[in-house]
Amino acid sequence: MRTSIASPAAAPTAAVAGPAAVIDTGRVAGLIHQLLVELGENPAREGLTGTPDRVAAWWKAFLSPDGAETATCFTESQLGGQLVIVGGMSVWSLCEHHMLPMNLQVTAGYVPDGEVVGLSKFGRIAQHFAGRLQVQERFTRQVAEYLNGVIGHENIAVAVRGVHLCMSMRGVRMEEARTTTVHSGGRFGTDPVLSQQFLTLTTGLWGAS
C-alpha cells in the first residue's frame, strides 16, 4: 500500500474542467475499427460487429459526466463542532498513463460551521472529477478543493483508496495492491485527535467493504 498525505497551501482551484471538445463518436468508432485491424482482428466477424460504435458511445458517456452542480447547504446552528464523514462512495476513473480503469473508494470528512452540505452532493462531486483521464493524487486534491469552496472553509479531509488495473493486470500484476491518498486541510492538518478520528473511521469503513 502506498499512502501520500498533502495539505492545501493555496486557495481552492478545483474548478478544473474535464474534456471541453465535443467528442466525434463517428471518428472515434473509426479509430477503434482501425485498432482492431492492427491487433489482428476482423471487425466484421460475429462478436465484433458494432463493437467500435459501442466503444465510442462509452467514451462519450464517460468523458461527459454530469456537472458537480451547486451543492445544497442547510442551516444548522446547533452542531457543536461535530465531525461529519461521508463514506461508501465508489467511482470509476481512467488512469491517464495507461488508459486503464481504476476504482476509487472515496471518504470525505468535514467540521460544519453553521450549516451542513446535502449528502448526495458528495457522490456527485466524486463522479464529476472521476469522469476523465486522471491520476488518483490529483483526483483527491480536486475533490477536497471543490469541497473547500462549497463549505467555505478548509476544515476538510478526503481519503481515497484505489485499485488500479494498470498495476493489477499489467506490469507487476499485483492484484492485491492498493493506493491510498489523503488530503487534509484546516483543523485536520493541525489537530491530531481530529485527524486520527477521521483516519480511524475511514479505515473502518474500508475494512467493512
Side-chain angles (χ1 to χ4, degrees), residues 13-76:
T13 58
V16 177
V22 175
I23 297 174
D24 184 341
T25 53
R27 179 164 172 74
V28 174
L31 293 171
I32 298 300
H33 183 282
Q34 181 180 344
L35 175 63
L36 289 171
V37 172
E38 295 300 327
L39 293 176
E41 286 285 357
N42 176 12
R45 74 168 172 81
E46 183 179 4
L48 287 180
T49 302
T51 292
D53 291 330
R54 286 189 292 269
V55 173
W58 176 83
W59 273 106
K60 182 175 182 179
F62 180 82
L63 294 175
S64 307
D66 293 334
E69 301 179 354
T70 301
T72 303
C73 295
F74 303 93
T75 301
E76 197 66 53

Side-chain angles (χ1 to χ4, degrees), residues 68 71 120-130 139 143 146-147 150:
S120 66
K121 300 306 179 184
F122 288 89
R124 292 187 184 277
I125 292 167
Q127 289 176 335
H128 174 71
F129 288 108
F139 169 83
V143 171
Y146 193 94
L147 286 172
V150 169

Side-chain angles (χ1 to χ4, degrees), residues 10-175:
T13 58
V16 177
V22 175
I23 297 174
D24 184 341
T25 53
R27 179 164 172 74
V28 174
L31 293 171
I32 298 300
H33 183 282
Q34 181 180 344
L35 175 63
L36 289 171
V37 172
E38 295 300 327
L39 293 176
E41 286 285 357
N42 176 12
R45 74 168 172 81
E46 183 179 4
L48 287 180
T49 302
T51 292
D53 291 330
R54 286 189 292 269
V55 173
W58 176 83
W59 273 106
K60 182 175 182 179
F62 180 82
L63 294 175
S64 307
D66 293 334
E69 301 179 354
T70 301
T72 303
C73 295
F74 303 93
T75 301
E76 197 66 53
S77 59
Q78 305 297 321
L79 291 177
Q82 292 183 19
L83 168 60
V84 177
I85 294 179
V86 182
M89 296 177 286
S90 178
V91 296
W92 285 94
S93 190
L94 282 176
C95 165
E96 65 183 37
H97 301 142
H98 304 97
M99 297 181 71
L100 287 173
M102 53 183 176
N103 180 248
L104 306 174
Q105 296 184 49
V106 184
T107 302
Y110 74 106
V111 179
D113 184 14
E115 59 183 15
V116 295
V117 180
L119 297 178
S120 66
K121 300 306 179 184
F122 288 89
R124 292 187 184 277
I125 292 167
Q127 289 176 335
H128 174 71
F129 288 108
R132 61 190 67 180
L133 299 179
Q134 266 288 17
V135 295
Q136 181 177 328
E137 294 85 348
R138 184 193 308 132
F139 169 83
T140 305
R141 174 181 57 79
Q142 288 174 332
V143 171
E145 291 183 347
Y146 193 94
L147 286 172
N148 284 347
V150 169
I151 296 172
H153 57 72
E154 293 187 345
N155 298 325
I156 294 165
V158 174
V160 179
R161 184 175 71 165
V163 178
H164 297 247
L165 267 65
C166 58
M167 187 174 184
S168 60
M169 71 174 291
R170 64 166 293 281
V172 293
R173 298 189 181 183
M174 293 185 176
E175 296 182 10

